[in-house]
Amino acid sequence: MHAHAHAHARARTNAYALIHTHTRLCTRVCVQLAVENEADVMSYFDHYISPELTEIVVDQTNLYAQQIAKMPRPVTKHACSEEWKPVSIIEMKKFLGLIFVTGIVRKPKLELYWSTRKIFQTPLFPQTMSRNRFKLIQRYLHLSDNNAGGTNKDHLYKIRTILGIVVNNFRTNYTPDREISLDESMLGWRGFL
C-alpha cells in the first residue's frame, strides 16, 4: 500500500511538472494558467471539470459496463483481462488527466505512452495507470444511459446533461476581455474566393 501511495504522489508531481512547463511555453499562443503548485492544478481542473460532472461520467461508465456485461458475447482468450472493475472518481480523474497530457505530449499510437523503449518512454503513464486499465476505461467511457431514450428533435440528448454543466462551468469561470479577436475560421463564409 505504501509503494502504491508513493507511486501516486510521484505521478501527480510529474503531471504538475508537465502542465507547469506547458503553461510557461505557451505564454503567447494559449491561455496562461496561474499554476503555482500542485493544489492549483487540481483546483483549476475542478473549476471546469466539476466533481458533479466527474461523478456523472463515473456513474454512466460503470452503468454502461454493467449493461455490456449482461449481453451474451463469445469467450475470448483475453476474457480475464477484459473483466470490469468499477471505476472510481479518483481513477476517472487520473484517466482524464492522462487524456489531457496526450494533447501536450504527442505520439503516433496510444500504446507508445506505455512503451519501455527509451526513445518513447513517458513514465507518467505507467506510474498513473496500466495500459490495459486505461483502454478498458476508454472502451466503456459513457456520458448517459443508453436505455434513456431521447426525442427525434433533440439530437444532443446523449450529452445534454454534461453539456449543460460544462457550459455553465465555463460561463462561471471565464469572463472574456472587452476586446475579443475572432479567427476567420470561426465565422461562416458565404462569399466566393
Side-chain angles (χ1 to χ4, degrees), residues 3-64:
H4 177 69
H6 182 66
H8 176 66
R10 190 171 54 234
R12 285 180 57 149
T13 302
N14 289 342
Y16 163 71
L18 276 171
I19 292 169
H20 186 66
T21 302
H22 177 66
T23 56
R24 278 191 293 112
L25 295 174
C26 292
T27 53
R28 288 186 176 185
V29 197
C30 58
V31 177
Q32 176 71 27
L33 306 178
V35 177
E36 297 299 326
N37 59 47
E38 191 176 324
D40 288 345
V41 172
M42 289 312 298
S43 174
Y44 190 85
F45 179 90
D46 286 342
H47 276 301
Y48 292 96
I49 311 295
S50 63
E52 176 192 11
L53 180 60
T54 308
E55 193 172 322
I56 291 170
V57 175
V58 165
D59 291 343
Q60 294 305 320
T61 299
N62 287 329
L63 176 64
Y64 181 64

Side-chain angles (χ1 to χ4, degrees), residues 139-150:
R139 178 188 303 167
Y140 293 118
L141 187 67
H142 235 65
L143 305 178
S144 67
D145 186 356
N146 282 349
N147 296 331

Side-chain angles (χ1 to χ4, degrees), residues 145-158:
D145 186 356
N146 282 349
N147 296 331
T151 65
N152 291 334
K153 292 180 181 176
D154 186 9
H155 297 292
L156 298 176
Y157 80 93
K158 282 200 161 230

